[in-house]
Amino acid sequence: MLEREAEEARGSCLSSFLEALSGRVSRLTREAYARDLQQWLGFLRRLGLEPEEATPLTLRRFLAQLATLGYARSSMARKAVALRSFYAYLEKTGRLLGPDPARFLKVGGISRALPRVLSRADVERLLEEAGREGGILAFLERALLEFLYSTGARVSEAAGLDLADLDLERGLVRLKGKGRKERIVPMGDVAADRLREYLQSARPLLAARAGYTGGRVFLGPRGLPLSPRGVRRVMERAARRAGVAASPHTLRHSVATHLLEGGMDLRTLQEFLGHAEVDTTQVYTHVSKERLREVYFQAHPRAR
């Protein structure tokens, strides 16, 4: 009986924490936190401990066990973030018996893989190939790819784009990002022109195929809004024809790197990409350094 009550209390504690995250993080982040914390609660259960009884040593033992089981450092780092957030919430709500045991929890020596980026020449080849096959879907392909490269939008942001989000005259677009956060970003003239062509020449015909009367901008061959998977398919078709290994996420990484190399400062790039923390944006400085090194050894007369 007591064990069942303890189990219910643990579940209630986790549920209230996840509820508190609503509107602050994306659905996918909440689901990842839920899985990570369920694993943590299972670890505590086997030790006969409640969440409030955990110590810094208990937390380190948990991470050590994950390392023994072969978890990647990136996965362990995410679990550490979930634990820090969870215990900060418990402290804030007065549920801890003592100081926050996870406050200084971290996984040292994590190596973050550098994102793969396209050269400017590869991007040009990809965008030139977009729409080459002709037909009504050529307008969609050109508009979507130019939009992705111009705005650095995530796949979900492109799929969720509404007509009301576009201000083509001023070259601005409202993107609805993670955790329901919105941001206004600029859009280049070429992208705006391709969107005008698509909206005038293709979208009405596509919408008529399904009798679609909603406001989504990008519609697929059947006349219904493109899903994130549909956005990827449009991109993959153009990339195969151009002979470029690319995805929408690659294009997002590419525009971020090209902007940084062109002189955009890190804080502005953070706002442009919709990153909650500048640390996430920091990875692009490493990419640019790699590019700097590459150009140096190609250009300097005495580098080799």
Side-chain angles (χ1 to χ4, degrees):
M1 186 69 176
L2 290 176
E3 184 176 340
R4 184 167 61 187
E5 290 177 355
E7 186 67 28
E8 290 176 354
R10 282 191 289 267
S12 174
C13 185
L14 177 57
S15 296
S16 61
F17 166 67
L18 295 174
E19 182 64 29
L21 290 179
S22 296
R24 294 172 47 204
V25 300
S26 70
R27 177 181 58 82
L28 293 177
T29 299
R30 285 184 65 208
E31 291 175 356
Y33 277 21
R35 291 192 298 270
D36 293 339
L37 293 171
Q38 286 283 11
Q39 188 178 19
W40 164 245
L41 294 178
F43 176 80
L44 289 178
R45 192 182 307 114
R46 290 190 292 275
L47 294 178
L49 296 175
E50 298 302 319
E52 299 85 354
E53 299 173 311
T55 66
L57 179 59
T58 317
L59 289 154
R60 287 197 297 272
R61 285 179 60 189
F62 174 63
L63 293 180
Q65 183 183 84
L66 296 180
T68 301
L69 292 172
Y71 277 78
R73 286 189 175 273
S74 56
S75 297
M76 292 167 59
R78 191 197 64 226
K79 294 177 191 295
V81 171
L83 287 165
R84 286 199 301 270
S85 298
F86 180 57
Y87 277 95
Y89 169 77
L90 294 185
E91 184 179 46
K92 183 178 179 180
T93 54
R95 303 189 188 197
L96 289 183
L97 305 176
D100 179 354
R103 179 172 298 169
F104 302 108
L105 182 67
K106 63 181 179 179
V107 180
I110 300 168
S111 58
R112 179 181 292 179
L114 296 182
R116 188 169 61 84
V117 301
L118 300 177
S119 67
R120 286 179 171 81
D122 282 342
V123 171
E124 287 295 328
R125 188 160 70 251
L126 174 65
L127 296 179
E128 286 175 3
E129 185 59 38
R132 187 67 64 88
E133 290 188 335
I136 188 173
L137 295 181
F139 292 96
L140 168 66
E141 202 172 85
R142 283 194 294 264
L144 179 58
L145 266 62
E146 287 285 0
F147 172 79
L148 288 171
Y149 183 63
S150 183
T151 64
R154 300 178 176 95
V155 172
S156 58
E157 293 169 345
L161 188 70
D162 288 320
L163 294 170
D165 297 325
L166 296 175
D167 185 344
L168 298 181
E169 293 304 315
R170 292 196 295 167
L172 297 173
V173 59
R174 178 175 60 208
L175 298 177
K176 298 180 279 287
K178 294 182 177 181
R180 301 178 185 175
K181 294 179 180 178
E182 297 184 356
R183 67 188 186 283
I184 305 293
V185 301
M187 179 169 47
D189 292 341
V190 176
D193 288 344
R194 293 292 177 265
L195 276 165
R196 285 191 188 92
E197 293 171 359
Y198 161 74
L199 293 174
Q200 293 168 5
S201 304
R203 189 183 180 280
L205 298 178
L206 290 171
R209 292 179 177 181
Y212 178 71
T213 58
R216 287 286 190 265
V217 171
F218 295 115
L219 306 182
R222 297 181 180 179
L224 296 174
L226 280 178
S227 64
R229 186 175 181 182
V231 172
R232 293 187 187 95
R233 284 176 175 170
V234 172
M235 173 89 177
E236 287 165 1
R237 284 196 297 268
R240 278 197 301 270
R241 294 198 307 272
V244 175
S247 68
H249 211 55
T250 308
L251 210 54
R252 176 172 160 86
H253 289 321
S254 301
V255 66
T257 304
H258 297 167
L259 286 172
L260 197 62
E261 290 175 347
M264 181 177 282
D265 65 271
L266 202 59
R267 289 290 182 182
T268 305
L269 182 62
Q270 176 193 357
E271 184 176 346
F272 176 77
L273 294 173
H275 288 160
E277 302 292 338
V278 74
D279 287 351
T280 309
T281 319
Q282 191 81 33
V283 67
Y284 295 108
T285 64
H286 301 312
V287 176
S288 292
K289 287 174 185 174
E290 288 294 309
R291 173 63 179 159
L292 174 62
R293 186 177 184 277
E294 177 185 334
V295 171
Y296 172 83
F297 279 105
Q298 287 177 353
H300 199 290
R302 299 182 67 84
R304 294 184 184 277

